[in-house]
Each structure stands twice: as C-alpha cells, then as structure tokens.
Amino acid sequence: MITFKHIHKAYRVGGSDIPALQGIDFEIQAGEIFGIIGHSGAGKSTLVRLINLLERPTSGQVLIDNVDITALDAEGVRLQRQRIGMIFQHFNLLSSKTVAQNVAFPLELAGVANKHQIRKRVAALLARVGLTDHADKYPAQLSGGQKQRVGIARALATEPKILLCDEATSALDPQTTQSVLQLLADINRELGLTIVIITHEMDVVRRIADRVAVLDAGRVAEIGPVAEVFLHPKHATTRRFVLEDEHVDEGEERDDFAHVPGRIVRLTFTGDSTYEPLLGAVARATGIDFSILAGRIDRIKDTPYGQLTVAFTGGDVPAALAQLAGRGLAVEEVRA
Amino acid sequence: MNTFFANGLFANVDWPEIWQASLDTLLMLGGSFVFTVLLGLPLGVLLFLTSKRQLLAQPVVYGVLSFIANIIRSVPFVILLIVLIPVTELIVGTSLGVAGAIPPLVIGATPFFARLVETALREVDQGIVEATQAMGATTTQIVLRALLPEAKPGLIASCTVTAITLISYTAMSGLIGGGGLGDLAIRYGYQRYQSDVMAVTVVLLVIVVQVLQMLGDRLVIHFSRK
Ligand SMILES: Nc1ncnc2c1ncn2[C@@H]1O[C@H](COP(=O)(O)OP(=O)(O)O)[C@@H](O)[C@H]1O
Ligand SMILES: [Mg+2]
C-alpha cells in the first residue's frame, strides 16, 4: 500500500548536504500497524513525513496504492493529504478552537459545507475516543492523554486510509501511553486503517505493531514481524534496543556469566509453548542440570513469549538442546 | 506671561477648541489606525510567509520588504512628516488638517505594525502550521484559518502598541499643521508658554493612551486560551 523506492533525502544546511535517509526500500501493507523504531536523528520523522509529502525525497519515489505521490501537482498533494491522518508528539491542536472545533477543522478545510453533517461526524468521533463530555473545552483545559485523543479524533475526521503517528506517545506517562496505544489498536481493527507509528521506545512497537523496521543512520537495519526482529535481533542497533528495553548492560552481563560454569544458551518460547513445563521435562529426560541466569515472560502484541538465558551442566547437553529445538523453541548459543 | 494661577485656573483654556482638537486627534487616530492595519496586516503576513523556512520562503522578496520596512522605521517620524508632504498632497490634496495628517501617519506606522504582526505570527507553534498542512490545507487556509486565529492575542497586543504609537505620532504631526491635541500643546503650551493648555492636552493624551492600553489588555485576556 505504501512503497518506498530508492529513497534518498538530504537536508541542505549552510551550503552542505546532511544526509537523513540513504536508500530506503520497503513496503507497508494495507491494514497493518507498522512500527519504525530508531534512535534520535535516525531519520524516522523524515521518513514518515515523506508519506504525506511534508518532506520531499531528494531522489526516489513514494507510492501509495501504486501511485507515485511525488509526481502529484499541488492540488493532488492536497487531496492526497486529506486521505492521510497524522498525530504528533506535541498534539499540535489549535489552542484557539474548542475540542469539537478542532475535530471539525479538517472537514471544513476539505470543503464539507453541511453543518449538520459536520456536527454528527464530530459527535461520533468524540464518542469513539471517549471525549463527548469535553466537546466545548479548549485544549489547554485537557490532560496530555485527552489532547492526544482529540488529535486522533481529528486525524480520523476525513475517514483516511492511513494514520501516521510521529512519537505520538512520547510525551505521555506509561499508563496514558497504554490507553492511547489500545485506542490505536482498536481503531486499526475496527476501520482496517493502516497505521504507521514511529517511536524510539521499543515498548510501543512491541505492544501494537505487526511489523517493524529498525532505522539506523538513515538506513533500514532490520525489518520483519515484530517477534522475529526483537526475539532474534541480528543488527547491533536492534540488539541495543532489546538490551535497553530489558535494562541489561551487555558488558556487565558478560562479566556475570564469566563466573557461571557450563554451556549458556538463550531459549525463546513463543505462543502456547510459553506456558508448557518443557525445561523440567527435558532436564529429567537428559540428566542435565540448569540454572536460569536471566529471563522474561511477556507479550508481543497478542502473542505470549518467554526468553530465558540458561546455563546447562552435566548430563547430555547436546541431546537436551536438540529436544528443546524439536519442541519448537529457538535455541541460540550465548557461550559454548 | 500667563501661568496657572495668574487669572484663575485654566484661564487660557478654550474648551470648545480643546474639544475640537480632541475630536481631531481621535479622527486622526481612527483613520490612520484603520489604514495601518489594512496595509500592515497583509504586509506582516507576507514578511512572515517569505521568511526563512516558512511556507513561501523567498529570501529575495523578504530581503527587499524587510529593507524597506527598516528604512522607514529608522527615519525619525518628524523627518518623515516633512519628507512626505508632497506625497500627502498628491494623495489627499492637502498636507494640512486631519486629512493631511493621515497619509504620513499610515506610512510611518505600517512597517512598525507589519513587523509586530510578523513577530506575533512567529510565536505561533510551528507544529500547528504543520498539522494544518498535513490536513491538506491551502496556504490561504493555513493563514486565515490557523495562523491568524492562533496569533489573535499577539495581534491584538500589536494593535494596542501601534495605536498608542500613532497617538504620539499625531502629537508630532501638529508640528506641520496636522491639528489635534499635540498641535494645541505646541502652539499654546510651548510657543506661547500657556502651561495650563499644555497640562490639559497632556492629561487628555494620557487618558486616551490609558484607555487604549486597558482595552487592548482586556481583549488579549479575553482571546487567550493558553
Ligand atoms: N529541517 C531540517 N533541516 C536540516 N536537517 C534536518 C531537518 N530535519 C531533520 N534533519 C536532520 O536529519 C536527520 C534525521 O532527522 P529526523 O528525521 O528528525 O530523525 P528522528 O525523527 O529519527 O529523530 C537528523 O540528522 C536531523 O538533524
Ligand atoms: Mg523525530
């Protein structure tokens, strides 16, 4: 649905070109929630802003439903933008308008003249985001989470096919983040909306994204289903995100493991195997001993997973590893 | 020589004349204010839009506009008044009286007001412009529906400052026969040492300024939603 083709983007600053994106090629499917994660300055905002042409690529094309939007004229760009909603880190609501007026704004800009129709649509949107009682307040009178809900209602006003979220939860506390993400996930399901969400927080991607691209210095370091990318990170940047998220210091961990005897492996359980008593069963069958060095049980979107770092000693370790792999676990050697 | 108390308080004050002068001042203020806003608001918007990193970024246009505005603003108003006499005669047929005072007042205050407008627009969160743009708004819609409404408190404050500046300009235009309270103050108060006339005109000017400021502040508060 959204295709980036050979995208390069450089910003001209004081006579020299600062590269922001250096060869982006991938596709976002219709109806999915696609996460783009990267550290500050990686080029996330630039990339997402190409989709509604708030930025233009230096070279390359952006296709939406197979139409090259970089070739559209000004009027075409405007119409295209009306079909794409966007929400922002700092909400960007008009402070001089009430909640209801903010939500009505894109409809007015798009030339919807029927006041009754606008009122009905605004009421439905406010009900959907749970702000019916706040319709006549000004943004300054709302909490951060409420402001972002107004932002979401406003972004959905013109019934877009795509919703872009630029660090939409970065200014919110964890609990509010959770409820805003839940709202986005619900909307994605109900409306079949394609959502592109950019963030520097892995938690956001893990909670709602279907697929993720890890952006590093203007390039896609890794891309794929969230579970695959985060449970088996290949690129150094991805690994860093995972470790940061688990509050693990790689150096410290290596030092700690140095004192542990035996073979150290990382076991990843996903889906139903997460809750099965596999480790104990295999240990009994192969006569090994194990000690758990680190681990977590969590969910990626709707899929439960567990990831344990385990040291095996005694017994038949290769047989144990083979059995575990045979039961659908991913087995990665940390130290032989 | 007359003083305050020689022939009783306000002996030299010709109240009907004061009344006429007050009316003239208010007329000059009103007339010049309307034209200053009509010219200065679009000019300020243009300055803002053509400046760096804005919607219509046009360094050359901005440079030229900015240069002209700076020139006019750096000429002392008294000099501007005199230099503009032929222009004024061309526009309104006379350089005297209320009508003759308005063109130089407008020319003097417009660049000042335009700069204040530019600054007020710059205060608007860039994110709001961006969000409006992302909704598919035209540049005209962005200016009329987002920028100007969001800048309203700042624009009202700019209007207040400009109106008060115009008051002091009207006083100066008395120098070249513009009429009004400033004219009275100079002709009687200064040139004929009639301190009572001077005092009355100054008090009236102070009252006008106070009222304008109060009105402006009230409006700013009324329209502030932050
Ligand atoms: N308008 C701009 N002018 C110049 N450089 C910019 C501009 N916007 C972004 N950049 C640069 O491009 C790079 C990527 O920025 P951005 O896309 O904002 O990254 P992210 O959103 O991942 O933090 C950074 O080096 C940033 O400094
Ligand atoms: Mg960013």
Side-chain angles (χ1 to χ4, degrees):
Chain A
M1 145 156 251
I2 306 170
T3 313
F4 297 104
K5 268 193 161 169
H6 320 308
I7 294 286
H8 285 259
K9 168 75 184 180
Y11 289 103
R12 190 135 192 98
V13 181
S16 61
D17 285 334
I18 311 281
L21 296 174
Q22 319 189 52
I24 300 285
D25 274 282
F26 69 88
E27 194 165 333
I28 296 172
Q29 310 296 338
E32 73 176 332
I33 300 186
F34 192 91
I36 297 173
I37 191 169
H39 288 107
S40 176
K44 307 180 295 293
S45 295
T46 305
L47 184 57
V48 82
R49 291 157 59 89
L50 290 174
I51 300 172
N52 58 4
L53 292 182
L54 286 181
E55 299 290 352
R56 284 188 166 272
T58 309
S59 66
Q61 298 172 320
V62 182
L63 311 186
I64 296 182
D65 291 332
N66 297 316
V67 176
D68 178 8
I69 58 165
T70 60
L72 295 174
D73 61 4
E75 187 61 18
V77 169
R78 266 180 13 80
L79 293 175
Q80 185 62 50
R81 282 177 179 161
Q82 288 171 4
R83 292 194 282 266
I84 301 175
M86 187 166 193
I87 59 175
F88 306 85
Q89 178 172 7
H90 299 294
F91 324 120
N92 297 351
L93 303 175
L94 278 78
S95 64
S96 58
K97 292 186 188 293
T98 63
V99 166
Q101 289 166 345
N102 264 288
V103 177
F105 193 42
L107 295 169
E108 292 166 2
L109 291 178
V112 179
N114 185 332
K115 290 267 187 286
H116 176 69
Q117 196 183 337
I118 292 181
R119 235 186 343 260
K120 250 177 56 187
R121 178 103 187 101
V122 169
L125 286 161
L126 288 181
R128 181 63 197 84
V129 300
L131 288 177
T132 303
D133 296 340
H134 302 279
D136 296 322
K137 288 191 178 164
Y138 286 92
Q141 298 167 285
L142 302 179
S143 72
Q146 290 170 331
K147 284 183 199 168
Q148 197 56 291
R149 284 167 184 274
V150 179
I152 292 171
R154 179 177 73 173
L156 297 179
T158 50
E159 300 184 341
K161 289 279 179 295
I162 300 171
L163 177 64
L164 309 177
C165 315
D166 189 344
E167 302 275 3
T169 57
S170 298
L172 305 176
D173 62 59
Q175 226 161 3
T176 314
T177 294
Q178 173 73 359
S179 75
V180 167
L181 291 179
Q182 189 57 52
L183 176 61
L184 289 175
D186 292 347
I187 287 167
N188 162 258
R189 221 174 2 248
E190 286 163 26
L191 307 175
L193 193 69
T194 307
I195 299 184
V196 183
I197 187 158
I198 74 172
T199 179
H200 62 276
E201 295 167 321
M202 197 174 117
D203 211 44
V204 169
V205 173
R206 187 175 45 225
R207 275 181 206 288
I208 68 164
D210 299 302
R211 291 197 306 143
V212 63
V214 180
L215 211 58
D216 181 52
R219 292 194 174 85
V220 174
E222 218 165 314
I223 183 170
V226 175
E228 211 161 284
V229 170
F230 284 160
L231 293 178
H232 311 291
K234 293 182 185 64
H235 192 273
T237 304
T238 319
R239 213 150 29 228
R240 209 157 54 234
F241 270 113
V242 172
L243 291 173
E244 271 167 24
D245 182 60
E246 295 174 354
H247 307 288
V248 173
D249 181 306
E250 216 166 356
E252 253 172 46
E253 190 181 70
R254 204 173 315 112
D255 293 345
D256 290 347
F257 290 178
H259 307 295
V260 180
R263 224 165 131 176
I264 302 179
V265 294
R266 181 158 37 243
L267 305 175
T268 308
F269 313 67
T270 42
D272 294 338
S273 72
T274 310
Y275 302 120
E276 283 173 27
L278 284 176
L279 205 47
V282 169
R284 272 191 303 280
T286 56
I288 56 153
D289 253 335
F290 64 88
S291 54
I292 297 173
L293 307 177
R296 89 185 264 164
I297 311 280
D298 208 334
R299 281 172 170 271
I300 288 179
K301 203 164 186 188
D302 304 318
T303 313
Y305 75 92
Q307 197 158 48
L308 299 178
T309 308
V310 182
F312 288 121
T313 47
D316 188 353
V317 175
L321 295 182
Q323 283 192 20
L324 288 169
R327 303 291 288 267
L329 266 65
V331 180
E332 290 161 283
E333 195 88 41
V334 177
R335 192 193 67 198
Chain B
M1 188 198 289
N2 292 293
T3 67
F4 258 63
F5 302 106
N7 306 311
L9 209 54
F10 304 138
N12 300 306
V13 178
D14 176 351
W15 293 105
E17 195 173 7
I18 293 273
W19 173 244
Q20 185 56 48
S22 303
L23 270 185
D24 285 353
T25 292
L26 291 179
L27 274 176
M28 279 190 277
L29 171 64
S32 58
F33 180 73
V34 168
F35 286 107
T36 300
V37 170
L38 284 180
L39 293 174
L41 189 62
L43 191 60
V45 170
L46 198 61
L47 273 169
F48 173 76
L49 289 178
T50 56
S51 66
K52 237 192 247 168
R53 280 194 290 279
Q54 295 304 334
L55 290 171
L56 305 177
Q58 289 285 343
V60 177
V61 177
Y62 181 80
V64 170
L65 288 177
S66 186
F67 182 70
I68 296 173
N70 286 347
I71 296 255
I72 298 179
R73 286 198 311 153
S74 53
V75 176
F77 185 65
V78 187
I79 310 286
L80 202 63
L81 272 175
I82 296 161
V83 172
L84 286 178
I85 288 176
V87 179
T88 306
E89 281 175 343
L90 204 72
I91 299 176
V92 290
T94 171
S95 67
L96 299 176
V98 170
I102 288 179
L105 287 172
V106 172
I107 293 170
T110 295
F112 175 75
F113 181 64
R115 281 293 194 198
L116 293 179
V117 169
E118 185 194 355
T119 311
L121 294 177
R122 225 175 272 292
E123 299 280 299
V124 175
D125 185 352
Q126 196 56 36
I128 286 172
V129 174
E130 199 173 285
T132 311
Q133 213 178 353
M135 290 172 209
T138 61
T139 304
T140 313
Q141 283 177 323
I142 294 173
V143 171
L144 296 181
R145 313 286 303 265
L147 269 173
L148 292 177
E150 286 294 298
K152 204 187 268 172
L155 293 174
I156 293 170
S158 308
C159 286
T160 310
V161 175
T162 303
I164 289 172
T165 304
L166 278 170
I167 289 277
S168 71
Y169 282 3
T170 62
M172 275 189 254
S173 69
L175 274 179
I176 60 156
L181 288 169
D183 183 35
L184 273 195
I186 289 162
R187 279 193 290 127
Y188 294 89
Y190 178 64
Q191 289 166 352
R192 297 186 209 162
Y193 306 107
Q194 295 177 352
S195 320
D196 49 354
V197 178
M198 175 88 92
V200 169
T201 55
V202 169
V203 166
L204 286 173
L205 287 171
V206 168
I207 290 173
V208 175
V209 169
Q210 291 294 343
V211 167
L212 284 174
Q213 186 68 54
M214 217 170 61
L215 204 70
D217 290 347
R218 287 255 172 104
L219 286 172
V220 168
I221 291 169
H222 178 74
F223 285 110
S224 292
R225 306 289 185 201
K226 286 199 175 154

